[in-house]
Amino acid sequence: MAGNKKHLLLLFDRPQEPCFMEKGPQRTVTPDYATDIPQIVSKFSSNAQETVSVNAVSTPSLGDILELKREENFSLFIPKHRKIAGRLIDIFLGVRNVDELLSVAIYARERVNPYLFNYSYSVALLHRPDTQDLDIPSIARYFPDKYVDSQVFSQARAVANIVPEESRTWKKKHRVAYFREDIGINLHHWHWHLVYPFEAARSVVDKNRRGELFYYMHEQIMARYNFERFSNNLKRVERFIDWDNPIKEAYFPKLDSLVASRSWPPRVANQRWQNLRREVDQIQVDIDDMKRWRDRIVDAIHAGVAKDANNRDVPLTENEGIDILGNMVESSILSPNRAFYGDLHNMGHVVTSYVHDPDHRHLESFGVIGDSTTAMRDPFFYRWHAYVDDIFQKFKETLPRYTVARLDYPGVTITDVQIQTEGGQKNVFQTFWQQSDMDLSRGMDFQPRGSVFVRFTHLQHSPFTYTINVNNEGKANRMGTCRIFLAPKFDEKGTPWMFRDQKNMFIELDKFRVTMKSGRNVITRRSTQSSVTIPFERTYRDLDTNRPQGGDQLAQFNFCGCGWPHNMLIPKGTAEGLQCELFVMISNYDDDRINQTIEGQCNDADSYCGIKDKLYPDRRSMGYPFDRMPRDGVQTLQQFLTRNMRVADVTIRFTNRTLRPKSGN
Ligand code: CUO
């Protein structure tokens, strides 16, 4: 049969295997484009139920894209890699229609490094007008080696060879690093960077407020990680500020790369950042370069003005400054002057990832922190991002404080806030462990067909409902934005917070529009509706078996895969109950509103991911009202409150029990 849109997705399957081997549930085979090896085709495709033919097209020149060998690892943080990824994306964006894309993609897939292919192809499918309705499958299914302990694969291979056609399930041992190594969290982070690349065609990179969202999404990761640390009697992460000092944290990934056929390099304790001289990656960076970039950025913050390449002023204004700064620090191609402000955050990842082999004398590749797919596993990721966040906070400290007038919603008073957990007590969140199964067979190259399930254990919470009582003193209906945040009630010493510190601990739980009639209103909202999360099924989606048939459900399913995994919405808490403060605010919708239609768009995790091809759906600064220092005289959260805000004392109670998978496997 002729190729069609859905066949484009088959090219994600079994990334190391050639196209002429069967892919997908129909065991579809596509020709090995432009190489003619019919004997092998017939040998491998004898079971195929579907064959796709593709049109001959003029083949693109792949040039330096081929310099990254198939067995090497790929990282967007490495300038050479991101340059060739940009070229490949442009090739995929440049072909005229779906038929040609299929041909060109098959041609490229046979030749290009599989990680590079997967990344560039995903970005292109997300951004081409004729393919953006396609769902990009979860990368964990195709490159499970980036998420799952290496032992699992040797077991999977051994058993898969003995019982070829049955589903097989293995238990994966739970580890203490339940947050850092959570598959869903790492998938969210990968997907976020897929939606917001920092280098590609300008039309792909230049999204509304992307520099600000880089700041905010990573600020929330830090707040969430610190919350988990509090749940385990640990202090907040210390930012990595003295770059000449050794890195205390060791990290041993225990992952094996199935594609690169080698393990990820570990980092032993007390390594120091070194100047990089890696000709093979075309990287030459000195720690002194990093220090110069840092100083120039800090100077720009203090001056309130950056300089572009022509030495013209780029003012860091109250509303847009954070966006410009985000692009400078990350950095993205939107940086006002990349030569001058450099590539600070990205190079922090790179320098750390090569700390074991800075001049390539051992021919080693980068560690997990050098790849956005795996970076969040490394404890040092949080020390580096704590540093990066601190730069943004320094800038925020220079901005005007919110006056009462910019916080209040005259005539709107919240009189009560509570949460009710299903089958539990009022104002108590319940957390526990849950097991789930994921089919890895799509990533198991050259293995017999049939499902290969891995069982993994992750954090979970009971569903709950917010109930918010609001009084609208006006005669007419009023619209507002309800903003819900959560933070620990006490600092690590057990003393009540100063507002200036607690504001950075608040994690966003939800944000939604409300209409209030005159008089008393009771607003209820379910935890599963959260504007920061996507449902568990979508994080781990299997496009073939979970896909709804049509209608509303299908539209929901088609929303993008970016979003915090829902099972990680509530931090773990403690057995005795971690005391927290639940903050609810209703702001005036007139000051929040963005005029646009978003129907059919990917928007259910818009707080952290924005909305595809649309404006960020909230006019306020991201993190409002906690993104500024407090007004004069405000020391505590209680003093910060205006009538349209309310705080409830809540606890998070963790029970050390493990629920079996829902499917009962
Ligand atoms: Cu997401 Cu540093 O930006 O990993």
Side-chain angles (χ1 to χ4, degrees):
M1 64 182 295
N4 66 27
K5 244 188 198 180
K6 89 174 181 352
H7 293 123
L8 290 169
L9 296 177
L10 293 175
L11 300 190
F12 286 107
D13 252 42
R14 300 192 166 224
Q16 276 284 76
E17 287 183 359
C19 292
F20 58 76
M21 293 177 73
E22 304 144 10
K23 307 279 183 290
Q26 301 301 319
R27 306 191 146 205
T28 309
V29 291
T30 51
D32 174 32
Y33 188 76
T35 45
D36 191 24
I37 24 178
Q39 330 76 296
I40 302 183
V41 173
S42 57
K43 180 175 161 205
F44 279 101
S45 61
S46 54
N47 292 331
Q49 295 162 13
E50 181 181 51
T51 307
V52 176
S53 60
V54 296
N55 302 332
V57 286
S58 58
T59 50
S61 151
L62 294 173
D64 53 2
I65 294 170
L66 300 178
E67 282 174 24
L68 185 67
K69 300 285 170 260
R70 284 185 69 86
E71 62 286 356
E72 286 179 74
N73 209 342
F74 164 75
S75 164
L76 278 178
F77 292 122
I78 296 174
K80 176 182 154 190
H81 292 194
R82 68 174 100 120
K83 201 175 84 217
I84 57 179
R87 291 226 323 113
L88 190 54
I89 292 168
D90 286 347
I91 290 175
F92 292 144
L93 290 178
V95 293
R96 283 174 307 177
N97 53 45
V98 165
D99 275 353
E100 278 190 32
L101 180 61
L102 186 59
S103 301
V104 168
I106 290 173
Y107 177 81
R109 188 185 185 280
E110 300 300 276
R111 290 161 177 79
V112 172
N113 173 285
Y115 298 122
L116 169 61
F117 174 82
N118 180 293
Y119 171 75
S120 307
Y121 189 54
S122 302
V123 172
L125 291 183
L126 276 171
H127 292 92
R128 279 182 67 97
D130 54 355
T131 56
Q132 49 174 297
D133 55 328
L134 285 175
D135 256 331
I136 306 299
S138 159
I139 190 180
R141 292 179 176 276
Y142 298 92
F143 295 110
D145 49 322
K146 296 211 175 196
Y147 299 92
V148 176
D149 194 310
S150 51
Q151 276 184 359
V152 169
F153 296 107
S154 44
Q155 290 172 12
R157 284 209 178 90
V159 182
N161 284 334
I162 299 165
V163 218
E165 285 298 332
E166 284 168 20
S167 292
R168 293 160 283 261
T169 305
W170 286 273
K171 280 195 170 63
K172 180 181 176 304
K173 213 171 64 214
H174 164 67
R175 285 190 257 153
V176 193
Y178 65 93
F179 180 91
R180 295 196 314 260
E181 300 189 356
D182 183 83
I183 298 175
I185 282 178
N186 279 280
L187 283 172
H188 160 70
H189 185 242
W190 166 78
H191 211 110
W192 192 94
H193 282 280
L194 194 68
V195 182
Y196 293 99
F198 50 78
E199 197 157 304
R202 207 178 165 91
S203 60
V204 169
V205 177
D206 196 0
K207 298 201 168 80
N208 180 239
R209 293 169 76 179
R210 58 95 55 216
E212 184 177 9
L213 195 53
F214 171 79
Y215 139 74
Y216 182 58
M217 199 285 288
H218 289 87
E219 188 266 347
Q220 285 287 294
I221 286 179
M222 290 311 305
R224 287 180 168 276
Y225 186 59
N226 282 328
F227 216 141
E228 297 296 344
R229 290 177 61 90
F230 271 47
S231 302
N232 291 283
N233 289 318
L234 295 164
K235 295 186 300 189
R236 277 166 283 178
V237 179
E238 267 175 58
R239 73 206 152 122
F240 183 60
I241 187 165
D242 188 343
W243 302 346
D244 300 317
N245 271 351
I247 296 172
K248 293 185 300 245
E249 292 79 8
Y251 186 63
F252 291 83
K254 311 225 188 296
L255 294 170
D256 272 346
S257 166
L258 290 177
V259 172
S261 329
R262 58 163 80 170
S263 344
W264 291 84
R267 183 182 62 246
V268 296
N270 297 316
Q271 301 276 82
R272 273 177 222 272
W273 272 9
Q274 310 277 340
N275 299 337
L276 292 189
R277 290 289 177 275
R278 297 199 35 123
E279 264 158 43
V280 58
D281 305 312
Q282 294 171 12
I283 300 182
Q284 223 189 60
V285 189
D286 289 351
I287 306 310
D288 278 350
D289 293 328
M290 307 258 302
K291 290 177 181 171
R292 273 187 291 275
W293 299 336
R294 171 196 65 195
D295 294 345
R296 289 167 185 165
I297 290 168
V298 172
D299 283 351
I301 290 172
H302 288 151
V305 146
K307 295 281 184 185
D308 73 8
N310 299 313
N311 210 29
R312 281 181 308 228
D313 283 358
V314 181
L316 300 177
T317 53
E318 180 179 352
N319 290 325
E320 287 82 30
I322 185 69
D323 189 43
I324 297 165
L325 192 63
N327 287 317
M328 276 163 70
V329 170
E330 187 181 0
S331 66
S332 80
I333 57 165
L334 307 181
S335 167
N337 190 348
R338 234 177 167 184
F340 188 67
Y341 296 111
D343 199 9
L344 185 64
H345 150 267
N346 292 334
M347 280 304 141
H349 277 267
V350 173
V351 170
T352 313
S353 75
Y354 282 132
V355 87
H356 55 283
D357 192 15
D359 55 11
H360 200 226
R361 75 178 65 175
H362 304 295
L363 308 178
E364 280 292 311
S365 185
F366 49 84
V368 294
I369 198 170
D371 182 349
S372 61
T373 330
T374 48
M376 288 183 70
R377 302 173 72 92
D378 187 338
F380 189 74
F381 171 94
Y382 303 90
R383 293 204 58 206
W384 179 236
H385 268 279
Y387 177 79
V388 169
D389 189 56
D390 195 57
I391 297 180
F392 293 126
Q393 298 298 347
K394 275 203 175 66
F395 172 67
K396 288 284 186 176
E397 283 174 24
T398 69
L399 298 182
R401 322 270 157 122
Y402 292 123
T403 57
V404 169
R406 294 179 70 187
L407 296 168
D408 200 13
Y409 190 169
V412 171
T413 309
I414 304 185
T415 54
D416 188 50
V417 165
Q418 53 172 277
I419 65 119
Q420 180 65 52
T421 293
E422 265 177 34
Q425 288 166 270
K426 188 179 114 178
N427 288 346
V428 179
F429 296 103
Q430 291 177 341
T431 61
F432 48 89
W433 301 122
Q434 162 107 54
Q435 290 182 331
S436 295
D437 293 342
M438 178 168 61
D439 183 359
L440 301 184
S441 55
R442 300 297 176 82
M444 303 285 290
D445 296 284
F446 302 107
Q447 300 297 319
R449 269 50 187 167
S451 302
V452 177
F453 282 98
V454 61
R455 176 159 296 175
F456 59 105
T457 304
H458 54 84
L459 190 62
Q460 185 61 286
H461 59 271
S462 307
F464 58 90
T465 306
Y466 308 94
T467 306
I468 301 155
N469 289 283
V470 201
N471 205 12
N472 170 9
E473 289 142 32
K475 293 227 160 38
N477 282 358
R478 279 187 163 131
M479 300 236 285
T481 304
C482 185
R483 301 164 189 271
I484 306 182
F485 291 85
L486 184 70
K489 188 176 166 79
F490 301 106
D491 71 9
E492 43 274 268
K493 296 198 198 81
T495 38
W497 292 101
M498 300 296 280
F499 180 86
R500 55 179 300 142
D501 297 318
Q502 192 183 19
K503 75 180 174 53
N504 297 344
M505 293 296 294
F506 274 101
I507 59 171
E508 185 174 337
L509 296 184
D510 207 347
K511 177 162 69 178
F512 51 95
R513 200 172 78 194
V514 290
T515 305
M516 295 160 288
K517 61 182 194 308
S518 176
R520 289 190 49 198
N521 294 264
V522 180
I523 298 168
T524 58
R525 174 93 168 170
R526 280 175 291 120
S527 53
T528 47
Q529 293 173 289
S530 167
S531 66
V532 305
T533 64
I534 55 173
F536 186 86
E537 297 70 28
R538 190 149 3 118
T539 295
Y540 297 95
R541 59 189 168 181
D542 169 347
L543 297 180
D544 301 314
T545 53
N546 287 342
R547 191 185 201 97
Q549 283 310 304
D552 273 3
Q553 271 186 317
L554 180 64
Q556 276 293 333
F557 187 83
N558 277 337
F559 284 160
C560 64
C562 183
W564 195 252
H566 188 74
N567 59 292
M568 300 301 280
L569 177 66
I570 301 297
K572 178 165 160 274
T574 56
E576 55 283 10
L578 182 67
Q579 289 183 270
C580 298
E581 289 181 305
L582 181 75
F583 169 92
V584 178
M585 170 184 198
I586 297 180
S587 57
N588 188 341
Y589 189 63
D590 290 341
D591 300 323
D592 309 331
R593 180 202 305 266
I594 294 288
N595 289 318
Q596 62 183 352
T597 49
I598 52 165
E599 228 159 283
Q601 296 293 326
C602 186
N603 76 340
D604 62 346
D606 57 17
S607 290
Y608 288 177
C609 295
I611 306 178
K612 210 161 149 224
D613 305 320
K614 297 284 176 180
L615 302 177
Y616 189 79
D618 179 6
R619 207 180 335 145
R620 308 273 187 174
S621 295
M622 296 182 199
Y624 172 85
F626 293 122
D627 70 310
R628 306 280 171 93
M629 280 295 171
R631 61 192 183 271
D632 282 348
V634 170
Q635 305 280 339
T636 64
L637 182 62
Q638 281 304 325
Q639 293 167 343
F640 178 74
L641 302 183
T642 47
R643 284 165 306 173
N644 55 324
M645 304 179 193
R646 184 113 190 157
V647 171
D649 280 333
V650 296
T651 55
I652 310 176
R653 188 162 296 142
F654 170 72
T655 313
N656 194 5
R657 65 189 164 109
T658 306
L659 251 59
R660 305 274 295 160
K662 289 198 190 92
S663 58
N665 276 313

